[in-house]
Amino acid sequence: GAVVSQHPSRVICKSGTSVKIECRSLDFQATTMFWYRQFPKKSLMLMATSNEGSKATYEQGVEKDKFLINHASLTLSTLTVTSAHPEDSSFYICSAYLAGGPVRTDTQYFGPGTRLTVL
Amino acid sequence: DQQVKQNSPSLSVQEGRISILNCDYTNSMFDYFLWYKKYPAEGPTFLISISSIKDKNEDGRFTVFLNKSAKHLSLHIVPSQPGDSAVYFCAAGRDKIIFGKGTRLHILP
């Protein structure tokens, strides 16, 4: 089946630094990737929709300048948390759609997630 | 405003019995509904889905039921197995999905 990887799986950084998280579709091309954040005891929150070759669409309340998303190719999207603070500590998950198929929820494949800890 | 609600944060079921996970939604425009299973520190994995034109979908031990008039769906797992212990997320949407808060299922030996 389709595989989505994320790198790194865990990252610890100091407050004020920037962290880049990669999301790759390993055996298929994804025109659309989604970035989610999971808060403790809460649901997955959709942060933004990343379309290859265009600007990401951010959900309400998500700071565009803080969470930079780049979808440079059909197999790679990156999320950069800029000037990270302890409150940014969370579990970040990406998902990818198969290119060419309908943008339907049943063709969405999730990455394993990245645990970010900001000290 | 929570559009997808899972009102039970946790559920314990004896191994071999039926597990029933419930989910309610508020948006009548949703036309696709899914269940995801998530183990700690892993991304959610797709389990089963159902479109709004159906009221039941079955896949092995997993069956999802949809009651559109009540805006309610449920996931039945039978028989429950130890490996089913996980957090289950209900999700609904049209072009993008919205997740519920999840229900932690414990399968007791």
Side-chain angles (χ1 to χ4, degrees), chain B residues 66-80:
Chain B
L66 176 63
N67 183 333
K68 289 186 290 294
S69 60
K71 294 193 180 67
H72 177 85
L73 67 155
S74 61
L75 173 68
H76 291 211
I77 306 173
V78 56
S80 300

Side-chain angles (χ1 to χ4, degrees), chain A residues 34-49:
Chain A
F34 293 86
W35 285 96
Y36 295 87
R37 179 176 176 178
Q38 184 175 24
F39 294 92
K41 299 184 180 180
K42 292 187 179 180
S43 178
L44 291 174
M45 182 193 79
L46 178 64
M47 298 174 66
T49 302

